[in-house]
Amino acid sequence: MANTSSRTLRLLSLLQTHRRWAGAELADRLGVSERTLRRDVDRLRELGYPVDTSRGTDGGYQLAPGAVLPPLVLDEEEAVALAVGMGEAARSAITGMETSAIRALTKVVQVMPPRLRRRVDVLSEAMVSATSAQPVVAVDVLTVVAQACRDEERLCFSYAARGREPSSREVEPYRLVTVGRRWYLVAYDLTRQDWRSFRLDRLTEARPAGARFRPRDLPARDAAAFVRAAAGVPEPYAVEALVHAPAARVRTAVGQWGTVEEIDEHSCLLTMTSTSLDWPVQALGTVGAEFEVLGPPEFAAYVREWGERFVRAASPGPASRGAVQHGQERNIGLS
């Protein structure tokens, strides 16, 4: 049974590395007969892997897209690359990617041998991200803290608050949050008997304390609201606009800073989340197309104010024209 299981995993790994395998070549790589290969393929199908079979001289086996995502089999190099990539995605400025990336990173690192974890740490430290100038959070800190939040396990670490010497903390971790392109841990501080938020780039030597706990009620609407209140960061605006331009054109202009949903070939819905209204106005101006503000009211008023300012700039009054003419005459006299 152990031999059959290991051979099935080997078969899956081979199917994931090539688009299509000839039956005879695949059986030879596994060291089995084609009849045994067919049984192993059937076993993969029972586990939820969609393996397509084509017959004839050009026949073979191919792993096809399925209705659900089955487990993947990675070799060591692929696992290291995935962990490093997920670490970079978690620390990036790509809105909405952080939580998914940290979940994937935690799953991969959790089952890694120590020697592969060390390789991930070395590679991550050597990489410099061009997407953000914010302090970098170590991969091991991200994964240890995320696992403690998931498992409801007390966490110990050393923390250096701004302008202070490092101190030892023991907390009941609640959630990881990204605000202003920084990672924060929201936790109940057992020493201070109160809720706190900790910047992860100032947190070192994170380790589980080995004690489980029952989560307390957070004194805020959610963890992100708690961090914003503690850091004095205003609540972000959820800006929506109907843009009369093709979705592809809007995506090119806005990039990763907004979500574009196609309505038809000539229009789309643009959604942006920002603590400042300046950037959404600039982004919409960059598109160079007609648009309608759907919300919030503060953004509509801000766009109106910008529009009036530009209209005034394009239509100078008599006093402005006189000042310009006077300056020109003065320059002519000086020449």
Side-chain angles (χ1 to χ4, degrees), residues 16 26 63 103 137 195 319:
Q16 288 174 344
L26 193 55
L63 195 61
R103 283 204 310 267
V137 177
W195 288 90

Side-chain angles (χ1 to χ4, degrees), residues 91 93 129 131-137 179-183 199 201:
R91 296 186 299 227
S129 175
T131 59
S132 173
Q134 300 298 339
V136 174
V137 177
V179 173
R181 302 187 195 176
R182 287 193 176 101
W183 277 102
R199 272 179 49 175
D201 58 287

Side-chain angles (χ1 to χ4, degrees), residues 45-77:
R45 288 173 179 152
E46 292 172 0
L47 294 172
Y49 295 93
V51 183
D52 287 346
T53 305
S54 55
R55 303 188 182 280
T57 55
D58 294 328
Y61 297 93
Q62 178 177 334
L63 195 61
V68 296
L69 180 66
L72 302 177
V73 175
L74 305 173
D75 62 27
E76 292 187 355
E77 298 298 326

Side-chain angles (χ1 to χ4, degrees), residues 10-82:
R10 173 64 176 156
L11 170 61
L12 178 58
S13 180
L14 290 171
L15 288 171
Q16 288 174 344
T17 58
H18 274 261
R19 180 167 180 81
R20 191 187 68 81
W21 283 91
E25 182 182 5
L26 193 55
D28 183 64
R29 292 290 293 268
L30 294 170
V32 298
S33 66
E34 292 194 41
R35 180 178 180 182
T36 300
L37 172 63
R38 287 193 293 272
R39 288 201 298 266
D40 290 345
V41 168
D42 288 339
R43 189 173 295 108
L44 282 180
R45 288 173 179 152
E46 292 172 0
L47 294 172
Y49 295 93
V51 183
D52 287 346
T53 305
S54 55
R55 303 188 182 280
T57 55
D58 294 328
Y61 297 93
Q62 178 177 334
L63 195 61
V68 296
L69 180 66
L72 302 177
V73 175
L74 305 173
D75 62 27
E76 292 187 355
E77 298 298 326
E78 292 167 340
V80 169
L82 179 62

Side-chain angles (χ1 to χ4, degrees), residues 254-333:
V254 175
Q256 64 186 24
W257 306 107
T259 301
V260 180
E261 180 182 348
E262 183 177 15
I263 296 176
D264 54 44
E265 59 180 340
H266 302 296
S267 62
C268 60
L269 177 66
L270 171 63
T271 304
M272 303 182 72
T273 302
S274 175
T275 55
S276 169
L277 294 176
D278 288 331
W279 169 237
V281 171
Q282 295 174 36
L284 285 165
T286 303
V287 173
E290 297 290 325
F291 65 90
E292 303 168 33
V293 175
L294 303 181
E298 296 91 339
F299 184 59
Y302 202 67
V303 170
R304 192 178 302 112
E305 179 187 335
W306 270 54
E308 292 170 353
R309 190 182 307 135
F310 277 96
V311 168
R312 289 194 299 271
S315 307
S320 300
R321 287 194 295 270
V324 172
Q325 184 178 3
H326 178 69
Q328 291 173 341
E329 291 172 350
R330 184 173 58 188
N331 290 337
I332 292 172

